[in-house]
Amino acid sequence: MRESAVLHIKGRVLVGPDTGDAAGDVRDELWVVDGRITFERPPGARDIRLIEGWALPGLVDAHCHVGLDAHGAVDDSTSEKQALSDRDAGALLLRDAGSPADTRWIDDREDLPRIIRAGRHIARTKRYIRNYAHEIEPEDLVAYVAAEARRGDGWVKLVGDWIDRETGDLGLCWPRGAVEEAIAEAHRLGARVTAHCFAEESLAPLVEAGIDCIEHATGLTEETIPLFAERGVAIVPTLVNIATFPRLALGGEARFPRWADHMRRLHARRYETVRAAYDAGIPIYTGTDAGGGLAHGLVGQEVAELVKAGIPVRDALSAATWGARDWLGRPGLTEGASADLVVYDADPRADVRVLTTPRRVVLRGRVVG
């Protein structure tokens, strides 16, 4: 498509979460001029490309890892393939929840998704996947959080729990005082903090220390759910990743049988946990955890998993579109915003499975898929 070409998106443009009852949430058309959205027909436009269907803001994968695979950092070519997989699946805004690779060069590529980086994981020594994280002790936590807050795009990622070899089960990684100081320092520098957490005991100390988000959050219980709701702490459940727990448990049960049993129990109640969080009013957003052991491009499947957990379709869609973009401080389908959108053949509100098969992907005003 030439730079001067105008796009005309016609059909049903879902600019907000409601079903059409509220004025302005569903439009019949929009235009893309010079890479920007407008709801006014541009006067004198001649070179027009028509795209028909159901349009949504570019999807959000709020937990993925571009530049990372199961063994650590990958080269730029592999990072490019990962980003393209997300783009072609309609995920045009990624929150990279920890990567040892430098992917800043992606920001100069107009054909690749926008990335909000959380810097590199910060973990306790020998308490995370090898080659992934800064592995440090509590006395260094504040300094490393400050460094990653400056390196990232407004987020810092902690590893809140992992296998404790002394107990043979999941265990909290950080003392309360150290994590309180670290979160306060991140906030002072204008960054939000999130943490990888599977276990039950990890959650309350982090929330009480002022954390902004928890990844996975499989350990939520009736005791901690009200605390999350009261503090407004978001979760990114990554259900497509939690589906791998039985396989992980099988691989580790010979050495850590207590941990393996724990992982199976967390997996068994995963949908119940997410639905209980939703019912309590906890903000929930989509994330796949792609880039470690999972392929990129699974955000549509994650939305379907949220629906399977009992979240209404409208809110599951919002977790990947309107709500997620607002949470991350990025615009959706608004006047003058960058034209990052996905068009489908059918109404995703009727069947979210259509999210896995975009008809057209428009990024920065260009048709890229």
Side-chain angles (χ1 to χ4, degrees):
M1 189 182 78
R2 295 197 303 272
E3 281 289 322
S4 59
V6 170
L7 298 182
H8 183 196
I9 312 299
K10 187 176 181 180
R12 303 299 279 165
V13 179
L14 307 179
V15 300
D18 289 335
T19 58
D21 298 330
D25 286 330
V26 180
R27 304 287 190 94
D28 292 328
E29 60 188 349
L30 66 76
W31 305 80
V32 178
V33 182
D34 295 329
R36 298 283 170 179
I37 290 170
T38 181
F39 292 97
E40 300 292 332
R41 181 184 178 96
R46 294 182 179 179
D47 188 5
I48 298 174
R49 178 172 178 179
L50 177 64
I51 299 175
E52 296 184 280
W54 297 81
L56 279 172
L59 305 184
V60 177
D61 188 338
H63 183 134
C64 66
H65 306 277
V66 176
L68 183 71
D69 69 7
H71 306 290
V74 299
D75 59 22
D76 288 355
S77 176
T78 303
S79 296
E80 179 186 41
K81 291 175 183 177
Q82 293 173 339
L84 286 170
S85 294
D86 286 321
R87 184 201 74 182
D88 293 346
L92 306 184
L93 179 61
L94 313 177
R95 185 181 63 144
D96 193 315
S99 176
D102 181 1
T103 61
R104 289 286 176 190
W105 59 270
I106 288 176
D107 294 345
D108 297 326
R109 289 276 299 270
E110 294 191 353
D111 61 329
L112 295 180
R114 303 173 192 272
I115 302 182
I116 297 171
R117 298 170 182 81
R120 187 172 185 176
H121 301 80
I122 303 173
R124 193 77 179 264
T125 307
K126 295 184 179 179
R127 293 284 299 277
Y128 199 49
I129 303 167
R130 186 179 299 177
N131 300 324
Y132 274 36
H134 296 297
E135 296 190 22
I136 63 169
E137 288 304 294
E139 58 267 25
D140 295 320
L141 183 59
V142 172
Y144 273 82
V145 164
E148 293 308 301
R150 294 185 179 101
R151 177 173 176 255
D153 298 314
W155 283 91
V156 177
K157 172 71 175 293
L158 305 179
V159 177
D161 61 33
W162 197 248
I163 298 173
D164 184 334
R165 288 170 173 79
E166 292 184 5
T167 65
D169 199 358
L170 295 168
L172 184 66
C173 290
W174 307 105
R176 173 69 173 270
V179 81
E180 282 181 345
E181 291 180 18
I183 291 172
E185 178 66 4
H187 289 169
R188 186 184 72 81
L189 294 169
R192 288 185 278 183
V193 182
T194 191
H196 160 108
C197 287
F198 289 157
E200 294 85 351
E201 67 174 6
S202 310
L203 299 177
L206 288 168
V207 174
E208 290 169 351
I211 205 159
D212 303 284
C213 180
I214 295 290
E215 312 300 314
H216 318 301
T218 46
L220 278 169
T221 65
E222 61 182 11
E223 287 78 26
T224 51
I225 283 174
L227 180 62
F228 273 68
E230 176 189 344
R231 303 285 181 98
V233 176
I235 65 170
V236 182
T238 67
L239 286 169
V240 292
N241 176 49
I242 305 311
T244 69
F245 276 18
R247 175 174 56 81
L248 297 176
L250 182 63
E253 66 182 341
R255 187 175 180 188
F256 299 113
R258 185 177 173 187
W259 167 82
D261 178 65
H262 196 172
M263 294 289 277
R264 290 189 179 103
R265 285 185 281 112
L266 293 172
H267 172 265
R269 64 180 178 88
R270 67 198 186 280
Y271 294 136
E272 178 185 346
T273 299
V274 171
R275 178 62 201 227
Y278 171 82
D279 288 342
I282 294 173
I284 297 172
Y285 302 105
T286 51
T288 64
D289 207 2
L294 286 180
H296 285 257
L298 302 178
V299 68
Q301 294 180 37
E302 181 66 14
V303 176
E305 281 288 284
L306 292 180
V307 173
K308 190 173 181 179
I311 294 180
V313 168
R314 181 195 65 181
D315 294 322
L317 286 172
S318 184
T321 55
W322 318 289
R325 284 179 167 271
D326 184 61
W327 179 57
L328 293 173
R330 299 297 189 271
L333 302 181
T334 58
E335 184 73 29
S338 175
D340 298 341
L341 57 95
V342 192
V343 180
Y344 301 94
D345 285 325
D347 187 352
R349 300 171 303 177
D351 186 351
V352 296
R353 290 177 296 180
V354 305
L355 296 181
T356 63
T357 54
R359 181 177 185 181
R360 291 288 182 267
V361 175
V362 178
L363 179 61
R364 296 175 174 87
R366 299 184 179 190
V367 178
V368 293

